[in-house]
Amino acid sequence: MEKTFFIRRSASGDGVPAPVYDRFQRIEKLNLLVESGWAIKDFKCDADEEYFILEKADN
């Protein structure tokens, strides 16, 4: 199973503003996900977004 976990995200392409994220709270949440069995598969960063691709074995 895969999950996309956003750290920073700008407005979406359809003109709807994206939610505002507190980066420190997001990192704390990411740490909790890793502790609960999710693994970081990849990190993506561009001008608009920063996010991790997380992976967890299907049970």
Side-chain angles (χ1 to χ4, degrees):
M1 173 180 352
E2 282 190 359
K3 173 185 272 204
T4 302
F5 186 86
F6 286 94
I7 300 298
R8 178 177 60 91
R9 186 173 184 177
S10 68
S12 62
D14 59 3
V16 177
V20 176
Y21 296 136
D22 179 314
R23 290 174 61 95
F24 295 106
Q25 290 175 337
R26 298 298 296 161
I27 295 298
E28 288 176 6
K29 171 99 172 139
L30 176 63
N31 287 336
L32 290 173
L33 288 169
V34 169
E35 289 173 6
S36 68
W38 288 89
I40 296 172
K41 181 178 176 182
D42 200 3
F43 175 73
K44 304 285 184 175
C45 179
D46 61 29
D48 299 324
E49 301 174 329
E50 292 177 8
Y51 59 93
F52 289 93
I53 304 295
L54 303 178
E55 182 175 60
K56 187 173 185 179
D58 293 330
N59 292 333

